[in-house]
Amino acid sequence: MATFTLNRPKFILFGDSLTQRSMSSEGGWGAALAHNYGRKADVVIRGYGGYNTRGALPMLDSIFEECTPSSTLLVTIFFGANDSVRTDGPP
């Protein structure tokens, strides 16, 4: 039996709740990417509501361990909204 492997490039979206909610059906920007690049790229959402930069830094290696120049077309990192109100780590 033949094995089918789908190797589409990835868009990795990493951030706080703004990224987490980007797949919203009410016009989220992550949903728009997934719609416009359907069958061309896989949109991977890694949004963590309430996290700030300090809380996200320990996750970098695990989030991007499979990220290579040949497999990843786009990376977004959106933190900052929570940095202005949280000085500690994740909630």
Side-chain angles (χ1 to χ4, degrees), residues 55-73:
L57 286 174
M59 296 188 290
L60 285 175
D61 287 340
S62 64
I63 296 291
F64 296 107
E65 69 184 337
E66 295 180 21
C67 185
T68 65
S70 63
S71 70
T72 307
L73 289 180

Side-chain angles (χ1 to χ4, degrees), residues 16 50-57 79-80 82-83 86-90:
D16 55 21
Y51 276 60
N52 61 8
T53 302
R54 182 178 296 191
L57 286 174
F79 287 95
N82 294 323
D83 288 350
R86 294 186 60 101
T87 58
D88 57 345

Side-chain angles (χ1 to χ4, degrees), residues 5-13 23 30 33-46 66 71-75:
T5 304
L6 184 62
N7 291 319
R8 286 189 286 215
K10 294 181 181 122
F11 292 176
I12 300 175
L13 314 181
M23 291 303 279
L33 279 174
H35 175 77
N36 289 316
Y37 289 91
R39 297 189 205 164
K40 297 175 190 166
D42 290 327
V43 178
V44 180
I45 307 292
R46 296 295 179 263
E66 295 180 21
S71 70
T72 307
L73 289 180
L74 174 77
V75 172

